[in-house]
Amino acid sequence: MALATYTVKRGDNLTKIADGRCGKNVAASISGSTVSAKINTLVKLNNIKNRNLLYVNQVLNLSGSASSSS
C-alpha cells in the first residue's frame, strides 16, 4: 500500500483535514469512522505533540503505521 500524505496549507487545521474540507480524497485516506477518530489517527501517525500547531508545507502521513523512535 502506498503511503498517503498531505501537505499542510495556510489556514489548515486537523479538524479541517479530517472532515474533508481539504479534499474528500484526503479525508477518505485517513482511518477512522468519525472526525475525532481521524484526528487521533493523524496525531498518532505524525507524532503531533500540539494538536493546535501545524506548519505550512508540513507533510502529514494520512495512512500507514506510526513511526517509533528509539
Side-chain angles (χ1 to χ4, degrees), residues 3-6 14 17 30 38-50 54 58-63 65-67:
L3 182 65
T5 61
Y6 175 74
L14 290 177
I17 294 166
I30 307 167
K38 290 176 186 257
I39 290 171
N40 288 336
T41 297
L42 289 172
V43 168
K44 288 177 188 171
L45 287 176
N46 297 286
N47 297 319
I48 295 173
K49 304 289 187 252
N50 183 344
L54 295 178
Q58 178 179 358
V59 178
L60 298 177
N61 294 323
L62 304 178
S63 62
S65 57
S67 61

Side-chain angles (χ1 to χ4, degrees), residues 17-45:
I17 294 166
D19 73 4
R21 286 184 275 164
C22 292
K24 293 293 181 189
N25 292 336
V26 173
S29 297
I30 307 167
S31 65
S33 57
T34 64
V35 171
S36 180
K38 290 176 186 257
I39 290 171
N40 288 336
T41 297
L42 289 172
V43 168
K44 288 177 188 171
L45 287 176

